[in-house]
């Protein structure tokens, strides 16, 4: 569960960000998170002291008495490695933001596309680098999957299935495109066909029409993707 703390002294800005968070959750059901919103910086800091910090902070820079930069400094003084996004009308605070290791900005008025892009980037940064994982929405709830154990994701009859390296098959309500958005940053995942995502780690070879997996399955290759896939596979084999 990813904890997000929002602080802005304007109620309408908070309501907009909460609306965006709900929209984001509907677009990315595989990502579990909770949001707390604060109008007062002091209330946010008190909550952090009482209950611990957040994974991601969205902080308005210009607020009376205590700025977003001030809050970020106190967060860093606690030793937190959280992601921090500043809410601002300009980029003039770049130096101060660099000093508190901020992840970036959301320029007001915040647009949905910018919100999605920046928040997704922060969430990916929060994943453990040595063994990254994703949260998969299943019929039984959320399941954490280690990236390296995913062999394929398949889509057919409006249903998506993840096959793991131990042979387990998990059905998910997440779309193929939303899953690929999470997986494409890792060089070993490829979309050889509109209905499949494949982990190249589990590919034994390829023909002009199919990928041959280590479990014996054959995954079709779209004709216009063969050259790109062949290069990606060879690059991955020799890099590994």
């Amino acid at each position: 569960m990813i904890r997000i703390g929002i602080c802005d002294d304007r109620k309408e800005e908070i309501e907009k960000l909460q609306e965006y968070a709900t929209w984001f959750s509907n677009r990315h059901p595989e990502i579990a998170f909770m949001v707390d919103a604060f109008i007062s910086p002091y209330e946010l800091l008190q909550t952090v002291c009482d209950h611990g910090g957040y994974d991601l902070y969205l902080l308005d820079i210009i607020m009376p008495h205590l700025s977003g930069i001030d809050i970020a400094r106190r967060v860093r003084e606690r030793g937190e490695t959280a992601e921090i996004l500043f809410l601002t009308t300009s980029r003039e605070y770049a130096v101060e933001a660099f000093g508190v290791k901020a992840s970036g900005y959301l320029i007001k008025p915040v647009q949905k596309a910018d919100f999605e892009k920046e928040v997704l980037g922060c969430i990916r940064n929060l994943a453990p680098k040595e063994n990254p994982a994703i949260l998969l929405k299943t019929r039984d709830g959320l399941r954490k999957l280690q990236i390296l154990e995913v062999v394929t994701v398949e889509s057919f009859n409006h249903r998506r299935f993840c096959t793991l390296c131990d042979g387990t098959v998990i059905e998910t309500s997440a779309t193929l495109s939303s899953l690929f958005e999470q997986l494409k940053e890792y060089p070993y995942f490829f979309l050889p066909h509109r209905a499949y995502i494949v982990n190249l780690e589990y590919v034994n070879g390829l023909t002009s029409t199919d990928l041959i997996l280590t479990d014996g399955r054959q995954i079709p290759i779209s004709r216009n993707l063969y050259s790109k896939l062949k290069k990606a596979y060879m690059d991955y084999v020799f890099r590994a």
Side-chain angles (χ1 to χ4, degrees):
M1 177 71 71
I2 295 169
R3 302 180 69 234
I4 300 175
I6 300 173
C7 190
D8 195 302
D9 64 321
R10 297 181 62 187
K11 184 179 179 181
E12 60 270 25
E13 293 290 345
I14 284 181
E15 289 175 349
K16 178 189 290 186
L17 292 171
Q18 289 175 316
E19 175 190 334
Y20 286 1
T22 299
W23 171 81
F24 181 94
S25 180
N26 291 334
R27 281 177 61 83
H28 301 278
E30 72 283 358
I31 301 174
F33 64 88
M34 59 164 287
V35 177
D36 289 337
F38 305 87
I39 291 179
S40 165
Y42 298 105
E43 185 181 355
L44 167 62
L45 290 173
Q46 188 61 55
T47 299
V48 168
C49 288
D50 292 343
H51 303 290
Y54 292 89
D55 301 301
L56 169 60
Y57 292 85
L58 277 67
L59 306 174
D60 185 22
I61 286 187
I62 304 300
M63 292 184 287
H65 309 302
L66 208 60
S67 72
I69 299 287
D70 294 327
I71 297 173
R73 287 197 185 105
R74 297 195 184 189
V75 166
R76 294 301 185 222
E77 287 169 1
R78 285 171 45 87
E80 293 188 34
T81 58
E83 296 288 301
I84 297 174
L85 287 174
F86 285 121
L87 310 169
T88 180
T89 56
S90 74
R91 302 179 187 274
E92 62 182 292
Y93 297 93
V95 174
E96 291 92 337
F98 179 79
V100 294
K101 299 179 182 178
S103 306
Y105 291 92
L106 282 169
I107 300 296
K108 294 182 178 182
V110 178
Q111 303 299 310
K112 278 185 178 180
D114 295 332
F115 179 92
E116 179 180 36
K117 177 184 176 182
E118 295 297 332
V119 170
L120 269 177
C122 288
I123 289 173
R124 286 169 182 154
N125 288 341
L126 290 167
K129 298 297 186 282
E130 69 282 359
N131 195 10
I134 59 173
L135 288 169
L136 196 69
K137 189 172 183 180
T138 72
R139 289 180 176 178
D140 300 321
L142 292 168
R143 173 165 176 172
K144 183 178 180 181
L145 292 184
Q146 303 301 323
I147 293 292
L148 295 179
E149 68 179 333
V150 178
V151 179
T152 59
V153 184
E154 305 169 61
S155 177
F156 55 90
N157 293 330
H158 305 290
R159 301 165 72 189
R160 270 73 58 196
F161 299 89
C162 289
T163 300
L164 308 184
C165 57
D166 65 357
T168 301
V169 178
I170 304 170
E171 184 175 354
T172 176
S173 59
T175 64
L176 198 73
S177 59
S178 70
L179 287 170
F180 191 59
E181 278 299 309
Q182 296 183 77
L183 296 172
K184 68 180 183 181
E185 66 179 290
Y186 305 102
Y188 34 89
F189 284 99
F190 198 88
L191 202 65
H193 185 280
R194 64 182 180 180
Y196 296 89
I197 301 170
V198 174
N199 186 341
L200 298 178
E201 176 67 26
Y202 298 97
V203 172
N204 263 348
L206 67 158
T207 70
S208 60
T209 57
D210 298 285
L211 277 169
I212 313 301
L213 302 186
T214 53
D215 61 9
R217 287 185 296 151
Q218 296 185 5
I219 303 298
I221 303 171
S222 294
R223 183 179 303 175
N224 61 339
L225 290 175
Y226 174 77
S227 296
K228 187 177 179 181
L229 173 59
K230 182 179 179 181
K231 182 181 186 304
Y233 180 59
M234 297 303 291
D235 287 346
Y236 179 70
V237 167
F238 287 108
R239 179 171 50 243

